[in-house]
Amino acid sequence: MGLVILGLLALYVMISILVVIGVIKHAKKNGKSALRWGGAAALVLYLMPFWDWLPTVAMHRFYCATEAGFWVYKTIDQWKIENPGVMERLVVQRSIQPTSYGDLQTLNERFAIETHRRKPVSFLPTSIAERLLVDRKSGEVLAKGIDVGSGVGYMATGGGFKLWLNQTPCITEGMGKLTTEIQVVRGSK
């Protein structure tokens, strides 16, 4: 598949070069500015596949800087003090249930991770995932993690071919560590 993509990219570059050369010749023949006409043709041919690259990079960096992160509102130790003896009775129930706003990952009868996803701009491939560690009985949020990702995924999953839109995601590791802590604390008693 990679060879097909590289072949198509090479074909597009060759066609683009030929079009720019043709536009420059046409401009010179008609007494127009070859630099302006050739530059405009090159810009149009560049923007056809790459029009969304700079806005995607800018949006990704903005949301990574302003929204991504991990916050703990209540530690597991604090929760255990407020709920004595509960942690020892919890049973692991790893399941994920799709919902209208994201998904609900049930860790056990007391804890779950709610995921809310949103796209700030519908035509750009940047998405923000907010994960909340929730006490299912009280509804209290113990921790929140916000991850930002940009890109089109993989061609095998129908994500598209614009691989240059994929940015290194801003992923917070705290939620995974906290859920592991819930399992370890329970298992150590």
Side-chain angles (χ1 to χ4, degrees):
M1 193 62 164
L3 289 175
V4 171
I5 292 172
L6 288 176
L8 290 173
L9 183 62
L11 179 64
Y12 185 78
V13 169
M14 287 182 4
I15 290 171
S16 297
I17 290 170
L18 292 174
V19 167
V20 170
I21 290 171
V23 168
I24 289 172
K25 285 182 180 180
H26 179 73
K28 284 182 181 179
K29 181 179 173 184
N30 293 324
K32 307 282 184 185
S33 169
L35 182 61
R36 284 187 189 162
W37 281 81
L43 180 63
V44 166
L45 290 165
Y46 165 79
L47 288 176
M48 284 172 62
F50 298 111
W51 68 271
D52 51 354
W53 178 62
L54 287 176
T56 298
V57 170
M59 181 175 285
H60 181 82
R61 289 186 181 173
F62 173 78
Y63 284 107
C64 281
T66 60
E67 291 196 23
F70 181 69
W71 298 266
V72 176
Y73 302 117
K74 184 178 286 187
T75 66
I76 297 301
D77 291 334
Q78 290 171 323
W79 186 89
K80 283 174 51 181
I81 291 168
E82 293 175 6
N83 300 278
V86 175
M87 188 67 81
E88 291 77 19
R89 295 188 309 263
L90 298 178
V91 177
V92 176
Q93 299 176 326
R94 294 276 183 175
S95 68
I96 297 178
Q97 305 156 3
T99 62
S100 60
Y101 56 85
D103 58 56
L104 178 69
Q105 181 181 1
T106 304
L107 302 175
N108 53 44
E109 62 269 17
R110 198 65 191 258
F111 294 107
I113 297 176
E114 293 179 6
T115 302
H116 306 266
R117 301 177 200 286
R118 65 183 168 99
K119 288 184 72 166
V121 178
S122 62
F123 60 87
L124 292 177
T126 298
S127 62
I128 299 170
E130 178 184 60
R131 291 181 175 77
L132 305 172
L133 178 62
V134 179
D135 180 338
R136 295 173 64 196
K137 184 175 179 183
S138 68
E140 181 179 22
V141 176
L142 279 73
K144 175 174 78 170
I146 298 180
D147 302 334
V148 178
S150 293
V152 294
Y154 302 100
M155 287 189 66
T157 60
F161 62 90
K162 292 185 170 188
L163 301 177
W164 54 86
L165 294 178
N166 293 346
Q167 301 294 308
T168 304
C170 304
I171 297 178
T172 57
E173 298 296 326
M175 193 63 72
K177 290 178 183 176
L178 197 56
T179 56
T180 302
E181 185 179 337
I182 289 170
Q183 301 302 323
V184 170
V185 168
R186 188 199 157 270
S188 65
K189 294 289 178 187

